Amino acid sequence: MSGDQDDAPGGDQITLNDGKTPVPCFDPYCCENATVPCFDTNVRREVAFCSAHVDKWTANEHIVRSSDR
C-alpha cells in the first residue's frame, strides 16, 4: 500500500460495515483490496480503489477522493 494521506488509516484495506469483509478495488482489472475511498458523481455512490489505481480513476472528473469532498 502506498501510505498516501488519503488511504485508509495505515494504508489498511477498506471493509464493509461488518469490519471484516474487504472491499475490492473498483478497477475492473484489479484483484487487490481497496485502500482509498472515493465518490462517483455520475452514479452518486461511494467507490474505492487500491493505491495503485486511484490516480488513474481520479483523473476522471466524476471520480473524487472522499477526502476532497
Side-chain angles (χ1 to χ4, degrees):
M1 310 289 164
S2 74
D4 288 350
Q5 66 183 6
D6 292 330
D7 285 1
D12 295 333
Q13 64 190 9
I14 297 170
T15 59
L16 297 179
N17 290 339
D18 66 6
K20 298 176 187 174
T21 307
V23 173
C25 178
F26 276 59
D27 185 290
Y29 301 104
C30 184
C31 61
E32 298 293 321
N33 291 324
T35 58
V36 184
C38 297
F39 189 79
D40 184 333
T41 60
N42 280 349
V43 294
R44 299 175 54 123
R45 299 265 183 213
E46 293 290 333
V47 294
F49 300 95
C50 69
S51 49
H53 290 112
V54 68
D55 289 335
K56 169 185 159 185
W57 285 94
T58 56
N60 297 302
E61 288 184 13
H62 69 281
I63 305 286
V64 294
R65 291 176 187 241
S66 293
S67 62
D68 293 341
R69 288 186 71 210

